[in-house]
Amino acid sequence: LFGLQHVRLFCDLKTISPRLNTLFLIMISICSLLVLCSFIFPYETAIRLSTLFAILGASTCLIGSIIANRKGKRYTRTYILGWAGYLASILTYTLTALGVLPRNELIAWSQELGFINLVIFTTIAQLDQYLQAQKHHESEQISALEALGYAEKKYRSLFENAVEGIFQLDKRGLIVNINNAYVRISGVDNKQALIDEHILPYSLGFLPTAEST
């Protein structure tokens, strides 16, 4: 029950495969119903149904992990190994219970070993997911900074090469930046000197008094 839900969320099945996500939801509902019915069914029947559904559930989780990996979820690589090992342990235990495989100490602990294997590989997969998400975030930041730098360079080119005189003001209304056309209009050779005069752009302070009135 919890394994199905974890695979559904961890592999983001709702996004990559809506149909498979629906199948998982149906199996989760059936599993929940079996848990409730286990209090009514005879013990042997409940054990058989639990074993059967465990095999089906583990197989479905393995298939879901493989599909997610093929859809680009690379962090599911170790997740696949975890579910493959868990499914193998359940099958081994079942075949032993049916008398197909001989019983020994290793097989007797197969389910426990399979669960430990699942926990270890799931932890590794979650760490891999975090690292890949962090790497993707850093890549997006680099792309955003590059785009910002390109936009600033483009704006600077438009500002400096415009045929109209363009200026920037501070809060007091004084010029803090001007483009080349503005310098040519003012007739001043030194751009910084014009800015340092702290004149108002609309005062035409760079013109003779007779022309500015």
Side-chain angles (χ1 to χ4, degrees):
L1 175 61
F2 295 109
L4 289 166
Q5 180 67 359
H6 188 272
V7 172
R8 192 177 75 85
L9 297 176
F10 184 67
C11 296
D12 194 18
L13 296 182
K14 186 176 181 180
T15 301
I16 65 174
S17 181
R19 291 184 179 179
L20 187 59
N21 181 67
T22 302
L23 175 62
F24 268 73
L25 291 175
I26 292 173
M27 293 194 67
I28 290 171
S29 300
I30 295 174
C31 185
S32 301
L33 183 62
L34 286 176
V35 171
L36 296 175
C37 291
S38 63
F39 296 100
I40 302 173
F41 292 154
Y43 177 76
E44 291 184 1
T45 303
I47 292 297
R48 289 177 181 176
L49 288 175
S50 298
T51 303
L52 176 62
F53 198 81
I55 295 173
L56 291 175
S59 300
T60 305
C61 289
L62 178 59
I63 292 171
S65 302
I66 293 173
I67 292 175
N69 184 261
R70 290 185 176 181
K71 292 287 186 177
K73 305 291 184 180
R74 295 183 179 180
Y75 56 82
T76 57
R77 290 171 294 187
T78 52
Y79 203 48
I80 293 172
L81 295 176
W83 281 109
Y86 184 65
L87 177 60
S89 69
I90 296 176
L91 289 173
T92 301
Y93 182 83
T94 303
L95 293 174
T96 303
L98 293 174
V100 177
L101 294 177
R103 183 180 295 275
N104 55 46
E105 286 295 327
L106 182 61
I107 292 178
W109 288 89
S110 60
Q111 281 189 305
E112 288 77 6
L113 293 174
F115 182 74
I116 293 172
N117 171 80
L118 178 61
V119 171
I120 292 173
F121 280 109
T122 298
T123 303
I124 296 173
Q126 288 178 325
L127 177 61
D128 191 21
Q129 181 191 35
Y130 169 77
L131 293 176
Q132 288 190 28
Q134 189 177 41
K135 184 178 180 180
H136 178 70
H137 179 66
E138 291 175 353
S139 178
E140 286 185 338
Q141 281 187 322
I142 292 173
S143 298
L145 289 174
E146 289 177 350
L148 179 61
Y150 174 76
E152 289 178 350
K153 185 177 180 180
K154 186 176 181 181
Y155 165 76
R156 174 57 58 184
S157 177
L158 291 172
F159 178 80
E160 293 294 345
N161 299 317
V163 295
E164 299 88 356
I166 304 175
F167 53 85
Q168 292 178 314
L169 308 177
D170 61 10
K171 294 180 180 180
R172 299 171 296 171
L174 299 177
I175 295 176
V176 294
N177 194 15
I178 55 178
N179 69 342
N180 295 328
Y182 192 97
V183 175
R184 288 195 300 269
I185 293 171
S186 68
V188 178
D189 295 331
N190 192 327
K191 178 179 179 179
Q192 189 60 43
L194 186 60
I195 295 174
D196 293 339
E197 288 183 8
H198 299 300
I199 61 173
L200 296 173
Y202 297 107
S203 68
L204 301 180
F206 53 82
L207 296 177
T209 304
E211 297 183 36
S212 61
T213 57

